[in-house]
Amino acid sequence: SATQKPTHPAPTPDAAAKQPTAPLTTTAWMKATITAYWPGAEEEPGCDYWTNHHTSSLNTHLREGVSVAVDPDIIPYGSQVHIKDIGDFIAQDTGSDVVNRTASHINNNDYPVIDLYFRTREAALAFTSCHGSVAFIWLQPPSTATAVANSTSVASLNEFIATSQRR
């Protein structure tokens, strides 16, 4: 039998007003700022050693059309992230601009940032030229078993961040 794509309830007008300040533990619609990142020269904004080696903060292989960077304090690693009219992704990476909501602050909002991974700069720029910077997202946090399998300890995440800042 054919696999059916899951359906998500329609976003409500008040979803934008309910921006999370703690990790999500249930499904929910909310607004997010959508950005893109890709491997490139390390002096380019948003590029670092790990991205250039297609490696996420979970030490998994980054995959275009699958991997997104999130603030794991809000959206747990392993969460399914459905971006309305764009597609379904998995929270597998993070970055300082994502955690600090840099793109949201540039756009005068405080929405969480979802950073989509692309294999090339051209693909990322083509995506951003066709899509708005704010979208509704539907989150499905991972099950406890999946969360344990996809998570890293705070110490390892802090080590990753410290290492990437030194490079």
Side-chain angles (χ1 to χ4, degrees):
S1 69
T3 303
Q4 297 255 342
K5 184 174 180 169
T7 58
H8 310 285
T12 59
D14 63 337
K18 297 178 180 177
Q19 294 308 308
T21 57
L24 296 169
T25 57
T26 61
T27 57
W29 274 110
M30 63 189 212
K31 280 190 176 179
T33 298
I34 309 300
T35 58
Y37 72 114
W38 60 90
E42 289 192 27
E43 62 273 4
E44 282 187 61
C47 294
D48 61 24
Y49 173 87
W50 301 106
T51 302
N52 286 339
H53 289 84
H54 312 279
T55 304
S56 77
S57 57
L58 295 175
N59 201 28
T60 60
H61 185 75
L62 291 168
R63 295 174 292 164
E64 183 171 321
V66 174
S67 304
V68 293
V70 299
D71 178 348
D73 288 338
I74 302 296
I75 301 170
Y77 285 129
S79 294
Q80 294 177 5
V81 180
H82 173 78
I83 304 173
K84 189 172 184 335
D85 300 326
I86 296 174
D88 296 300
F89 303 88
I90 303 293
Q92 296 180 319
D93 202 9
T94 193
S96 58
D97 284 343
V98 173
V99 171
N100 294 329
R101 302 182 186 193
T102 302
S104 289
H105 296 154
I106 289 169
N107 291 317
N108 296 316
N109 67 58
D110 197 36
Y111 303 142
V113 172
I114 307 294
D115 204 7
L116 281 69
Y117 173 78
F118 289 88
R119 291 180 47 86
T120 66
R121 179 179 192 269
E122 293 76 20
L125 294 178
F127 170 82
T128 58
S129 71
C130 295
H131 294 87
S133 62
V134 174
F136 275 104
I137 62 171
W138 170 264
L139 300 173
Q140 177 65 56
S143 68
T144 304
T146 305
V148 170
N150 288 315
S151 67
T152 59
S153 68
V154 172
S156 353
L157 185 57
N158 288 338
E159 181 181 342
F160 163 78
I161 293 168
T163 302
S164 63
Q165 290 174 343
R166 286 194 297 263
R167 296 184 190 268

